[in-house]
Structures are given as structure tokens and as C-alpha cells.
Amino acid sequence: MKHAFQPIDLDFAEFNPFTKISKDWFLITAGDENKVNTMTGGWGAAGVMWNKNCAFVVVRESRYTKEFLDKHDTFSICFFDKNQHSALKYLGQVSGRDEDKIANARMHVEFYEGTPYMDESYFVCICKKLSATPLTKDQFADMEIDEKFYKDGDYHTLYIGEITMLMAR
């Protein structure tokens, strides 16, 4: 069943990034009408960059979704009720290279002006990609970051996206 999403004025959105991003998780989704992929995220931020309201997400080089983010100009960030936690866990553990993980998670893709998002979410940020910056060892001022999170050399790319639309149901 397709849900009815309504636009939200960004000035009135109530959003605690410390809860929504790190504790509740979210999906990063990119693609087009032919092929879409999504992945679970747990690191990111929301704020202002270059005088624009932005979302910041990081994706490891090894992730299939990174190919979609690099290829397309837009992406979505979708937030879910806690009852979807097991589906988000699943979507973070399997690769869309190997199976139709979106269908297997019983999720459905919808599009807003060509940008895919998950219909089962309750809150969606549509983002226009502004920047894709690879994070490298030489950029860390605190070398414990490299030692703790990148022993395998699978670094993140930081994507900054202008939030062009917020929708909620």
C-alpha cells in the first residue's frame, strides 16, 4: 500500500540527529527507475554548509550503494519506526549485488521527482548531492580513528547533500 507523504517546511521540522541518526538508524537510497539500492546508515549529521540545509552521510568504498551515490545527483535518507529495526538490520547486512534485498526486506521503492525513497519510512529527506569527499588516513588529526575504524583500509566517502525536500506521513 502506497503511503501519502506530505511536504514539511524545514524551518518547522523537529529532528534530533543524535537519536535519529545513531540510535534509530536510517536508509540511504540512490538510483533510478531501472535500478535502486539502499543501505543502512548509523553515522551522519544534519546542519548548514555553504548556506544550504544539508545532510551528511558516510559510505564505505566497499558498499554497493556507493556506486549508486557516485552515479546519481540525488539520494534520499529515510527514517523508520522502531518496528522496522529488524528490516534495517537486514538491509545493512546483505548486499544488493547478491540479492534483491529491498524486496526481501518487504520494502517498496517510490520516487519523488526521480529520487528513490522507501515507502515504509515515516520521514524522508530528499537530497541533491553537493560533495563526495573520500576520507583518507592522512586527514585524521586523531590517529585512533584510523586504528579503530579503518584497520582493513575500507575508508568512507563523506557525501554532503542539500536537503531539497522533507516529507512525512
Side-chain angles (χ1 to χ4, degrees):
M1 176 176 104
K2 185 175 176 177
H3 294 96
F5 282 82
Q6 300 298 319
I8 298 174
D9 186 326
L10 194 58
D11 291 334
F12 298 105
E14 292 188 27
F15 180 83
N16 180 339
F18 299 103
T19 303
K20 294 295 172 214
I21 292 171
S22 70
K23 294 182 178 151
D24 293 348
W25 303 343
F26 55 94
L27 291 179
I28 304 164
T29 307
D32 57 31
E33 295 282 345
N34 297 315
K35 183 78 173 158
V36 171
N37 202 60
T38 192
M39 64 172 273
T40 303
W43 291 356
V48 177
M49 187 72 175
W50 304 304
N51 295 328
K52 298 175 186 281
N53 296 315
C54 292
F56 305 76
V57 296
V58 290
V59 178
R60 289 190 187 270
E61 291 294 320
S62 63
R63 297 301 295 260
Y64 186 44
T65 302
K66 185 178 184 313
E67 295 176 27
F68 291 80
L69 287 165
D70 290 342
K71 182 178 179 181
H72 297 282
D73 294 331
T74 62
F75 61 95
S76 68
I77 302 170
C78 300
F79 297 91
F80 296 81
D81 294 323
K82 291 192 185 290
N83 65 353
Q84 294 284 354
H85 196 80
S86 62
L88 295 181
K89 184 175 180 181
Y90 170 79
L91 290 166
Q93 292 176 330
V94 300
S95 175
R97 285 185 189 104
D98 304 325
E99 62 183 76
D100 186 350
K101 69 180 190 174
I102 295 171
N104 292 343
R106 296 187 177 103
M107 296 273 178
H108 301 88
V109 178
E110 293 295 337
F111 290 86
Y112 174 81
E113 295 183 355
T115 303
Y117 68 92
M118 294 298 141
D119 189 52
E120 287 73 17
S121 62
Y122 72 87
F123 185 76
V124 178
C125 300
I126 301 293
C127 299
K128 174 186 171 189
K129 185 173 62 177
L130 299 176
S131 174
T133 306
L135 301 180
T136 58
K137 181 178 184 173
D138 62 321
Q139 294 172 327
F140 300 126
D142 181 347
M143 290 315 296
E144 286 184 30
I145 294 169
D146 188 66
E147 295 165 13
K148 185 173 182 179
F149 298 105
Y150 300 105
K151 286 182 183 178
D152 61 359
D154 191 14
Y155 289 91
H156 285 98
T157 295
L158 169 64
Y159 293 91
I160 301 174
E162 178 185 5
I163 301 169
T164 59
M165 174 59 76
L166 286 180
M167 304 184 302
R169 62 177 175 94

